[in-house]
Amino acid sequence: MTTIDIPAGSPFGTDNLPYGVFSVGGGTPRVGVRVGDSVLDLAAALGDDVFAAPSLNPFMAQGYDRWVAVRERISALVGGDVPDAAVHAVADVALHLPFEVADYVDFYASEHHASNVGRLFRPDAEPLLPNWKHLPVGYHGRAGTVLVSGTDIVRPSGQRKGPNDPAPVFGPSARLDIEAELGFVVGTGTPLNTPIAPDDFARHVFGAVLLNDWSARDIQAWEYVPLGPNLGKSFATSISPWVVPILALEAARIPLPGQDPEPLPYLRESSPWGLDIDLVVEWNGEEVSRPPFREMYWSPAQMLAHMTVNGASSRTGDLYGSGTISGPEKRQRGAFLELSWGGKEPLTVKGEERTFLLDGDEVVITGTAPGANGGRIGFGEVRGRVLPAD
Amino acid sequence: MTTIDIPAGSPFGTDNLPYGVFSVGGGTPRVGVRVGDSVLDLAAALGDDVFAAPSLNPFMAQGYDRWVAVRERISALVGGDVPDAAVHAVADVALHLPFEVADYVDFYASEHHASNVGRLFRPDAEPLLPNWKHLPVGYHGRAGTVLVSGTDIVRPSGQRKGPNDPAPVFGPSARLDIEAELGFVVGTGTPLNTPIAPDDFARHVFGAVLLNDWSARDIQAWEYVPLGPNLGKSFATSISPWVVPILALEAARIPLPGQDPEPLPYLRESSPWGLDIDLVVEWNGEEVSRPPFREMYWSPAQMLAHMTVNGASSRTGDLYGSGTISGPEKRQRGAFLELSWGGKEPLTVKGEERTFLLDGDEVVITGTAPGANGGRIGFGEVRGRVLPAD
């Protein structure tokens, strides 16, 4: 038996306990929990085969009461002795996509982001469209290309057409961008015609991840009318390997910045709440932005309520992104499109000028939130490097 | 042993042999083939456990050479004696969703439909947007709400706002519509960064189904800018239970109506082809339209090539819809939005005026194509009845 050491100030203390899927030495992937710099093998530690699965889906499908009970058991275990064979150094494991993605929806819930993009894409019109403050605008993305952090991103090719080009051309995207977001994972869904009220959020949503919605702006700009983004986004969406339980985010709950006009009743919460999560975006190792989730206009619970109010069912593994997180300050913007103002105001990154991503560039997004023990809990990171187009 | 009777002129002759998933008397769903008015239990007839699965996915994943070989074996079997226990009357079986849907993409490939919708949704602008003739416009829909024919459709609720309303209201959709489409099912996908050339279509796409993309036009009109349709579509998409193999559609191949300008090289086929498939739309038992798939501007192979050209992977069970099939004539339009010209020109259906769907209405879409034996092969039907909002 052994005890798990948790370094002082670790963002993976007992108030976090995020779940992931790991393997050791090419072995079978299975569910683990991050504790300090260790990974606890849950099937080995708890003797429960639901954690021997290569994804979190079977455990998530067991529902809220089990999520609470297992979290309590893990907390108790971590304080005492655990079998040696159940503990691995995080440096010794490979991390995999933590859950099978059912449907993937991406929202657009930051007023600052939506306003900036509106100014850039539709310079002659009101930046916010008439529907934006009445409903959380969102669309479905490609579930099959949700990738775990660390997966290289090959620069996508596609059609683009500048405003003065006579015809579109085909080639590698010249405006490859990121979107720094949070993603929320549905643990237990609902059948058809069973909308989820905002106040029921925590009984259905299992956890949250960091999400990078890679975006080819030139492809997107040409294709997106009238049915929305498609190939400009569908080549890759990266997520962090650790799913932070919603149960660990209680201390991060804060009021929303405020909604005016008041949303329709199906979007109202008894106590509307956001999350005080700070993201950091590093470009080739240099911090370029600190997107603040606390500034988001629409709440995670409102997004879920909206997504199901028409009778659409939801499933274990459904993932929804918040949309780019941008704050009011320039250095709080979560996309390079906004940081470089459409490419017109280059950034200096490690001494080089940058607007959009060059081949070989690497982006790392990290995030932290207040934890229950007075410190901060961590989301880990979502990392991706750009490879040249094939 | 028994022989399977095929009535003269049956649309389910030996040149069709569509696959589905059926059960008898509440038993376990498994794969069958429709022959005349019978269903042949493939696990029982061929002694192959891949057909004991409750979906076509394991068989589809085995790939093109297996699809060819199994079709030949079934053809041979159907001409001779088969075990009694392997044959069921189609009236005695329940039909299920034939495959697990991975990602669902819906295109917009009919020039007549896109032009009509453009005139209705954007009356002050050119009906076709500048990108439309350069790429098959499409977007991702909700895979989790793809339903088998016969599933009742509860009228969705959501936000809508008329042009003169001061604010949006919430309630049941007042403009519930259909879209008559074909859907194409990917049998074997490709990993990331492996685009599928149009000429490789038949090695990747397993079959086709009828598809009804139920659409709440009032919800859609309010929500769809700038990220495309979401709740106006995500409540339900119905498909026919029989998957007609692409191998059965060789005789239905015809040239495309013509593409001008010439598409970019990645969309070019050595011999561009469409499909001579006739759909029939019945509203409460009365035929209201005959949408002709032969009029589609973009081909099924071009849609697949476009969907993967940016490096997006594809998976067994990916489903993509053609978009509404509309021909040049009024009675060839595949959506009630177009048939009633935005509700301004009601149809008479069974002696009653109709613009959009009323509670209790039922829509049945059928389809046929030329078969290899000189007759016509059938897609069966996709049926749905509208229930009142909850």
Side-chain angles (χ1 to χ4, degrees):
Chain A
M1 302 293 276
T2 185
T3 56
I4 301 177
D5 178 54
I6 304 179
S10 170
F12 299 103
T14 55
D15 49 354
N16 192 351
L17 301 177
Y19 296 89
V21 170
F22 75 101
S23 61
V24 184
T28 313
R30 52 200 189 277
V31 174
V33 160
R34 173 95 185 245
V35 186
D37 299 323
S38 302
V39 178
L40 179 65
D41 178 333
L42 283 187
L46 301 177
D48 186 334
D49 271 356
V50 78
F51 301 111
S55 92
L56 280 166
N57 294 49
F59 170 54
M60 293 196 299
Q62 293 181 330
Y64 179 79
D65 293 344
R66 271 280 287 172
W67 309 340
V68 171
V70 167
R71 186 169 166 82
E72 285 171 2
R73 283 192 64 194
I74 296 169
S75 286
L77 260 184
V78 166
D81 285 343
V82 290
D84 296 271
V87 182
H88 304 274
V90 72
D92 294 343
V93 308
L95 294 168
H96 305 275
L97 195 69
F99 54 94
E100 295 159 51
V101 181
D103 270 300
Y104 165 49
V105 170
D106 200 24
F107 284 96
Y108 192 53
S110 158
E111 182 175 358
H112 303 289
H113 170 68
S115 301
N116 287 337
V117 171
R119 286 188 194 99
L120 288 164
F121 273 42
R122 296 175 296 276
D124 302 326
E126 279 292 310
L128 280 189
L129 290 162
N131 57 14
W132 199 89
K133 290 207 167 181
H134 294 280
L135 56 88
V137 169
Y139 69 103
H140 284 74
R142 191 162 186 83
T145 51
V146 175
L147 311 170
V148 70
S149 172
T151 308
D152 289 334
I153 306 301
V154 174
R155 180 180 300 275
S157 292
Q159 291 192 29
R160 61 173 184 271
K161 181 179 172 298
N164 302 319
D165 292 340
V169 296
F170 179 85
S173 170
R175 291 162 73 94
L176 182 59
D177 196 1
I178 66 151
E179 297 199 333
E181 308 190 11
L182 278 187
F184 296 89
V185 189
V186 172
T188 53
T190 47
L192 289 170
N193 308 307
T194 315
I196 301 175
D199 282 348
D200 289 336
F201 168 86
R203 292 196 70 83
H204 290 279
V205 175
F206 176 78
V209 292
L210 301 169
L211 186 151
N212 185 349
D213 174 25
W214 302 92
S215 299
R217 300 300 180 190
D218 39 7
I219 298 173
Q220 181 186 354
W222 170 233
E223 73 176 356
Y224 90 106
V225 281
L227 300 185
N230 186 9
L231 298 180
K233 303 275 196 172
S234 66
F235 56 97
T237 304
S238 300
I239 62 172
S240 55
W242 297 112
V243 182
V244 173
I246 297 301
L247 293 166
L249 292 171
E250 289 296 322
R253 290 200 182 205
I254 49 169
L256 291 179
Q259 298 182 322
D260 181 19
E262 186 182 32
L264 283 160
Y266 79 90
L267 292 169
R268 287 182 205 156
E269 300 173 75
S270 53
S271 173
W273 55 273
L275 290 166
D276 186 18
I277 299 172
D278 282 319
L279 274 66
V280 175
V281 179
E282 288 184 358
W283 193 343
N284 294 341
E286 180 166 328
E287 179 185 310
V288 294
S289 177
R290 298 185 75 89
F293 195 80
R294 82 184 67 80
E295 295 284 348
M296 301 299 274
Y297 189 89
W298 294 103
S299 81
Q302 289 175 324
M303 297 179 213
L304 181 65
H306 185 66
M307 198 160 50
T308 58
V309 75
N310 66 343
S313 52
S314 52
R315 294 181 290 172
T316 298
D318 280 349
L319 169 68
Y320 63 98
S322 61
T324 307
I325 304 162
S326 289
E329 308 299 326
K330 180 164 182 179
R331 286 290 176 157
Q332 294 181 323
R333 296 174 186 164
F336 301 152
L337 175 74
E338 297 167 76
L339 279 167
S340 72
W341 206 248
K344 282 177 262 172
E345 300 172 14
L347 289 76
T348 303
V349 178
K350 292 277 181 182
E352 298 179 18
E353 277 210 345
R354 283 289 187 284
T355 51
F356 295 96
L357 286 159
L358 298 183
D359 293 343
D361 281 0
E362 184 171 61
V363 175
V364 178
I365 304 170
T366 55
T368 59
N373 298 347
R376 293 191 79 80
I377 63 174
F379 281 76
E381 66 176 30
V382 56
R383 174 186 298 264
R385 192 164 49 107
V386 178
L387 299 188
D390 279 336
Chain B
M1 302 294 274
T2 185
T3 56
I4 302 178
D5 179 53
I6 305 178
S10 169
F12 298 104
T14 54
D15 50 353
N16 191 351
L17 302 176
Y19 296 88
V21 170
F22 75 101
S23 62
V24 184
T28 313
R30 53 197 186 280
V31 174
V33 161
R34 173 93 184 249
V35 186
D37 298 324
S38 302
V39 177
L40 180 64
D41 179 333
L42 284 187
L46 300 179
D48 186 334
D49 271 357
V50 78
F51 302 111
S55 93
L56 281 165
N57 294 50
F59 170 54
M60 294 196 299
Q62 292 182 331
Y64 179 79
D65 294 344
R66 270 280 288 172
W67 309 340
V68 171
V70 166
R71 185 168 167 83
E72 284 171 3
R73 282 193 66 192
I74 295 169
S75 286
L77 259 184
V78 166
D81 286 343
V82 290
D84 296 271
V87 182
H88 304 275
V90 71
D92 293 343
V93 308
L95 294 168
H96 305 274
L97 194 69
F99 54 94
E100 295 159 51
V101 182
D103 270 299
Y104 166 48
V105 170
D106 200 23
F107 284 95
Y108 192 52
S110 158
E111 182 175 357
H112 304 290
H113 170 69
S115 300
N116 287 335
V117 170
R119 287 188 192 98
L120 288 163
F121 273 44
R122 296 174 296 276
D124 302 326
E126 278 294 308
L128 281 189
L129 290 163
N131 57 14
W132 198 90
K133 290 208 166 181
H134 294 280
L135 56 88
V137 170
Y139 68 104
H140 284 74
R142 193 163 184 82
T145 52
V146 175
L147 311 170
V148 71
S149 172
T151 308
D152 290 332
I153 305 301
V154 174
R155 180 181 298 276
S157 292
Q159 291 193 29
R160 60 173 183 271
K161 180 178 172 299
N164 302 317
D165 292 340
V169 296
F170 179 85
S173 170
R175 290 163 74 93
L176 182 58
D177 196 359
I178 65 151
E179 298 199 334
E181 306 190 15
L182 278 187
F184 296 89
V185 189
V186 172
T188 50
T190 46
L192 289 169
N193 308 309
T194 316
I196 300 175
D199 282 347
D200 289 336
F201 169 86
R203 292 197 68 84
H204 291 280
V205 174
F206 176 78
V209 292
L210 300 169
L211 186 151
N212 184 349
D213 174 26
W214 303 91
S215 298
R217 300 299 181 190
D218 40 5
I219 297 173
Q220 181 186 354
W222 169 233
E223 75 177 354
Y224 90 104
V225 282
L227 299 186
N230 186 8
L231 298 179
K233 304 275 195 171
S234 67
F235 56 98
T237 304
S238 300
I239 62 171
S240 54
W242 297 112
V243 182
V244 174
I246 297 301
L247 293 167
L249 292 171
E250 288 295 322
R253 289 201 182 203
I254 49 170
L256 291 180
Q259 299 183 321
D260 181 20
E262 185 182 32
L264 283 161
Y266 78 91
L267 292 169
R268 289 182 205 156
E269 301 173 73
S270 54
S271 173
W273 55 273
L275 291 166
D276 186 17
I277 299 172
D278 282 318
L279 274 66
V280 175
V281 179
E282 288 183 359
W283 193 342
N284 294 340
E286 181 166 327
E287 179 184 309
V288 294
S289 177
R290 297 183 76 88
F293 195 79
R294 81 185 68 80
E295 296 283 348
M296 301 299 274
Y297 188 89
W298 294 104
S299 80
Q302 289 174 325
M303 296 179 213
L304 181 65
H306 186 65
M307 198 158 52
T308 58
V309 75
N310 66 344
S313 53
S314 52
R315 293 181 291 172
T316 297
D318 279 350
L319 170 67
Y320 63 98
S322 61
T324 307
I325 304 162
S326 290
E329 309 297 327
K330 179 164 183 178
R331 287 290 176 156
Q332 294 182 321
R333 296 174 186 164
F336 302 153
L337 175 75
E338 296 167 75
L339 280 167
S340 72
W341 206 248
K344 283 177 258 172
E345 301 173 13
L347 289 76
T348 303
V349 178
K350 292 277 182 183
E352 297 180 16
E353 278 209 344
R354 283 288 188 286
T355 50
F356 294 97
L357 287 158
L358 299 183
D359 293 344
D361 281 0
E362 185 173 58
V363 175
V364 178
I365 304 169
T366 55
T368 60
N373 299 347
R376 291 191 79 79
I377 62 174
F379 280 77
E381 66 175 32
V382 57
R383 174 187 297 266
R385 192 165 48 107
V386 178
L387 300 187
D390 279 335

